[in-house]
Amino acid sequence: MKLSFFLTPVQAGFPSPAEDYVEKSLDLNELLIEHPAATFFVRVEGNSMIDAQIHSGDVLIIDRSLSAKSGSIIIAVLNGDFTVKRLVLKKEKTFLMAENPKYPPIEILEENDFQIWGVVTYVIHKIRPR
Amino acid sequence: MTFKFGALSLMSSIKYGLVDCNNFFVSCERVFNPKLWNRPVVVLSNNDGCVIARSKEAKALSIPMGAPAFQYKQTFLRHDVAVLSSNFSLYGDMSERVMATLEEFGFPLETYSIDEAFLELPSDIPETIGTEIRNRVLTWTGIPISLGVGITKTLAKVGSDLAKKRDDGIFFIRELPKNLPVQEIWGIGSRTTTELNHFGIRTALELIAQSDTWIEKYFPSALLRVVLELRGTPCLSVEEIPTPRKSIVSSRSFGDLIKTLAELKAAVASFVAIAAEKLRQDSLRASHLGIFVIGKDRIAHSASSPLSIPTSYTPHLIKTAHGLLEELYQEGSYRKAGVMLSHLVAEKEQQLDFFAAESTENLMPLMDQINRRKGKRTLFFAAEGINTDWQSTSKRCSAHFTTKWNELLKITI
């Protein structure tokens, strides 16, 4: 003999008219992350990028799958240290530019140990005071 | 001796690729720490006991795999070796990223271990695919890989060993190398090696020259499969769906020796909790529970017991484990303990037990959910003990850069 039973309680009453329109709620990952395998988060300290709206304590979203172009804000490794700057390619020269007039541009020279770690795609900045 | 692959294999329409991450644990650490680049680096096992991963520079210093850390203290100091505790949550996350990047290519993929994967490639694939795969994994994840390609999985594995010795890290194997020792072949263990050497067979080429009947007569059937694969006849395919776990083990060495039954009970309870959570993650239940303890004298004692009904309910499992432990315990000091859950069955395959109380059914999934969201051990069993002094000492562990919000990589700008 075979018995059937229902896993969900049987509703007696008018079914919800919204039932046919159920969609999953919004997921921030969908909006902010195109390549999950290549996406990393870092936290920054300091104010050299303040004019690019990157403040001390912010979290940056980095996509390593993107190739950096002139104008991209990048995470770079320069002589063994991480930094975040705007990449500028001008007349066959490479510069790392701060977004704060107090910080001079850095020209990348042959002898520098320089590597691009990833391209910054979003800044997560808390508005509400802590 | 000349050697050609069998005619059969020419008809085969697929090739196998083995992707192997180079010095994987060290490479993971290096992604987040440029100070480790171009410098000898070793990663130590749980408890900082012995070396389990070495950078190229550390290998050049002849630091062997498994080297006890205390014996090599001087070497580490003299050569400025960076010595790190293992950070398995980082390695696990980076491994998933490598596998996900490989999956993007669309070839059937089998995750073979934390740092290795087999790919099924079309046989007419151009060799440039190697560079493409290698570059993409390096760019996306920061992890360097080697790739071996051959017409069987065993040949792909031989190929990946050869690829590691090349600058481009890629090798398409067409014939077996001369003088490849049998012990370096995937699937040939030390016992088989000894027996083969006893017959005067030392290299792969000597092995594949033997007749099938001779091999079958003197060796287990697994060896014939290895030989066929070496000759170019595929016997193993890419297993996209992981075979279900047969058992789950959770064990650890103690930071300091444990002397009392109470402490040992707390440690065993938390191993049970870890193993049971894994069990539930895979929608499995265990029908058998075993425990083991290793004394100061390094002698292991174990006990096991079947469970009346297959379960993944932590309190039942802890109760059984404690019962076994009480039988096993003798006064003394213990250096390690562990729990094994086995005879696993899928939740849905389980027979119903008329007498079993099912009112607790939702409790464990709820607890797992809270612990996933709020962090490990947000909720735990009192039996696990609040004080976890027994936990292993990992003094030089890097941050959980990719799995904890409060441990993100900090960059000063």
Side-chain angles (χ1 to χ4, degrees), chain B residues 103 106-111 118 120 237-243:
Chain B
E103 265 168 9
F107 305 121
L109 174 137
E110 173 192 351
T111 303
F118 282 105
E120 197 182 287
S237 58
V238 164
E239 312 278 346
E240 287 182 80
I241 304 151
T243 42

Side-chain angles (χ1 to χ4, degrees), chain B residues 30 32 63 118 152 161-162 170 309 358 366:
Chain B
R30 279 179 166 170
F32 299 93
I63 299 167
F118 282 105
T152 67
D161 290 338
L162 297 169
I170 298 157
I309 49 155
E358 281 297 315
L366 183 66

Side-chain angles (χ1 to χ4, degrees), chain B residues 167-225:
Chain B
D167 285 340
D168 66 355
I170 298 157
F171 193 74
F172 281 65
I173 183 166
R174 281 188 191 75
E175 54 179 17
L176 279 175
K178 281 178 194 156
N179 307 322
L180 175 69
V182 288
Q183 65 266 29
E184 285 179 21
I185 298 165
W186 183 45
I188 298 188
S190 58
R191 243 186 82 189
T192 308
T193 302
T194 315
E195 283 168 37
L196 285 169
N197 290 350
H198 175 76
F199 285 111
I201 298 166
R202 290 175 198 284
T203 70
L205 288 179
E206 286 165 357
L207 175 60
I208 61 164
Q210 305 306 314
S211 75
D212 295 2
T213 43
W214 182 84
I215 292 164
E216 273 185 309
K217 189 173 166 195
Y218 292 103
F219 294 92
S221 59
L223 185 66
L224 184 61
R225 206 173 56 200

Side-chain angles (χ1 to χ4, degrees), chain B residues 235-281:
Chain B
C235 303
L236 302 165
S237 58
V238 164
E239 312 278 346
E240 287 182 80
I241 304 151
T243 42
R245 290 165 176 274
K246 293 208 174 69
S247 64
I248 293 174
V249 178
S250 171
S251 72
R252 207 162 299 169
S253 301
F254 304 128
D256 296 309
L257 294 180
I258 281 188
K259 296 198 173 74
T260 67
L261 178 60
E263 283 177 287
L264 206 53
K265 275 177 136 178
V268 165
S270 61
F271 299 150
V272 171
I274 293 167
E277 195 182 339
K278 279 188 200 158
L279 200 60
R280 293 190 292 268
Q281 241 168 42

Side-chain angles (χ1 to χ4, degrees), chain A residues 35-49 54 59 64-65 75 77 79-85 103 113 115 117, chain B residues 30-35 37-38 93-94 96-98 100-101 104 138-143 401-402 405-406 408-413:
Chain A
H35 306 104
T39 299
F40 294 84
F41 305 110
V42 305
R43 197 180 290 277
V44 291
E45 270 167 17
N47 47 21
S48 73
M49 293 300 283
I54 297 174
V59 171
R64 289 183 55 112
S65 73
I75 303 245
V77 178
N79 301 325
D81 286 311
F82 280 112
T83 187
V84 179
K85 293 287 178 288
Y103 293 77
D113 189 4
Q115 211 182 89
W117 196 88
Chain B
R30 279 179 166 170
V31 171
F32 299 93
N33 187 353
K35 303 266 189 285
W37 299 358
N38 308 314
D93 180 78
M94 293 303 284
E96 279 176 29
R97 288 167 182 272
V98 171
T101 307
E104 294 262 329
L138 185 63
T139 311
W140 285 36
T141 67
I143 302 293
F401 299 110
T402 56
W405 284 112
N406 54 1
L408 293 182
L409 176 68
K410 274 209 183 90
I411 301 183
T412 309
I413 60 170

Side-chain angles (χ1 to χ4, degrees), chain B residues 353-389:
Chain B
D353 181 340
F354 192 74
F355 298 102
E358 281 297 315
S359 59
T360 52
E361 202 178 297
N362 297 322
L363 194 56
M364 291 298 105
L366 183 66
M367 181 169 164
D368 293 345
Q369 207 183 340
I370 291 171
N371 283 340
R372 260 199 300 278
R373 235 182 256 165
K374 301 282 178 192
K376 278 186 182 154
R377 271 178 71 92
T378 301
L379 287 182
F380 59 95
F381 289 89
E384 296 176 47
I386 294 164
N387 184 346
T388 50
D389 281 347

